[in-house]
């Protein structure tokens, strides 16, 4: 053998994969169920704390594997209770995750890539460019580490956890690892996120939307729309030149929805750019025939970005037009703006704010 074999990363593996691993160590399959339960349901990271496993096995696991190598480098806490986690990966790369508490549930926003290749002109992550994709362990460890920092390792969470894949990166450009993470998070015997509590957001990677439509286990889907004509969308989303609006909307129209499911469309409100009454009417026309709901997101500023948010009375005026025409919409309250944790502000900053 040349050198030391790299330890197997266990977090994010399916129970079947953990079982294969256990069997390869010469252990019984029920040990795999115990290990999976400790990692996925109880969020335990150190083998020493898995006291249901014999000491000798814990030592063998220690020598051959690791639950996850992701570490919390820093936590920034907002005046609204939002926490931004700066996480360090095994190669020193940094990603961010955002924990947003509410009275009856928490929402955790997780990243799918280090940086992002899409270079949307209104988003800070685009300024970074793409460094690399995350693997399944790195995707799901963000949820585990955040919950453990807030509630403690092994402690049952007091209420529902929702997950949004809306952090750094374009999840549909890291399709296989992201879908493994989706299946891990939704496993009722593990993390047990409820199906309607997991949402993936895409800027519109059309062929992958068709792939997603064929998956047996899928997240809820959100589309970052923000512009309803190609001229404007090309300026804001360079990817629109590759997958123009008509193709994107065609994919959305054919996307299968559950009984009470709606497709979510995110619309970032940019002052003087996409927020006129005419834009609102164009949005209604674009979404006609789709069971849709719209999230109106005030633009979160950053010194590097050349846009400002529409004023609140304009956002309300815009919403009124959608409501009159029967298109449901919600105005999102920005969270964690003071610590650079809000939508479009994730840039792995080491200070609380820019
Ligand atoms: N790449 C995926 C996942 C990132 S989601 C996607 O584009 O959907 C990030 C969400 O934040 C998107 O809906 C995007 O439109 C929104 N966003 C990006 N920059 C923003 C900003 N500066 N202010 C408010 N929302 C922003």
């Amino acid at each position: 053998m040349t050198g030391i074999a790299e330890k197997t990363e266990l977090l994010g593996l399916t129970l079947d994969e953990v079982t294969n691993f256990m069997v390869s160590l010469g252990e019984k399959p029920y040990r795999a169920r115990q290990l999976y339960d400790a990692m996925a349901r109880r969020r335990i990271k150190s083998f020493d704390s898995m006291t249901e496993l014999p000491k000798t096995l814990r030592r063998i696991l220690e020598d051959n594997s690791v639950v996850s190598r992701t570490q919390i480098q820093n936590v920034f806490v907002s005046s609204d209770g939002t926490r931004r986690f700066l996480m360090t990966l095994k190669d020193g790369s940094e990603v961010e995750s955002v924990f947003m508490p509410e009275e009856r549930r928490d929402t955790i926003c997780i990243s799918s890539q280090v940086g992002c290749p899409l270079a949307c002109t209104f988003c800070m992550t685009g300024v970074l460019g793409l460094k690399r994709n995350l693997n399944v362990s790195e995707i799901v460890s963000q949820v585990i580490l955040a919950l453990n920092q807030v509630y403690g390792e092994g402690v049952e969470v007091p209420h529902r956890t929702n997950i949004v894949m809306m952090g750094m990166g374009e999840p549909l450009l890291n399709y296989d690892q992201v879908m493994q993470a989706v299946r891990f998070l939704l496993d009722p015997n593990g993390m047990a996120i409820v199906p309607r509590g997991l949402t993936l957001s895409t800027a519109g990677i059309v062929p992958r939307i068709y792939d997603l439509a064929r998956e047996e286990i899928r997240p809820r889907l959100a589309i970052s729309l923000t512009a309803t004509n190609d001229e404007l969308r090309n300026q804001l989303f360079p990817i629109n030149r590759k997958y123009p609006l008509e193709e994107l909307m065609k994919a959305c129209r054919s996307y299968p929805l559950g009984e009470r499911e709606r497709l979510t469309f995110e619309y970032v409100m940019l002052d003087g750019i996409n927020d006129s009454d005419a834009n609102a009417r164009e949005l209604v026309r674009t979404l006609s025939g789709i069971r849709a709901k719209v999230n109106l997101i005030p633009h979160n500023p950053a010194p590097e970005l050349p846009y400002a948010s529409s004023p609140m009375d304009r956002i309300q005026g815009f919403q009124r037009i959608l409501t009159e025409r029967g298109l449901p919409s919600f105005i999102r309250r920005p969270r964690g703006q003071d610590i650079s944790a809000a939508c479009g502000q994730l840039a792995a900053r080491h200070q609380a704010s820019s």
Side-chain angles (χ1 to χ4, degrees), residues 59 78 81 88 128 198 200 209 217 223 225 228 244 260 276-277 285 317:
R59 196 79 340 107
S78 164
T88 311
L128 302 178
L198 174 58
L200 179 156
I209 295 175
I217 294 174
I223 309 282
L225 193 62
T228 47
R260 281 161 54 211
S276 69
D277 287 357
R285 275 198 302 279

Side-chain angles (χ1 to χ4, degrees), residues 122-123 166-167 169-171 201-203 224 266 268 297-300 343-344:
F122 58 97
C123 177
M166 299 187 184
E170 168 49 54
S201 176
T202 179
S224 293
E266 295 144 288
V268 179
I297 309 176
H299 179 258
N300 295 304
C343 300

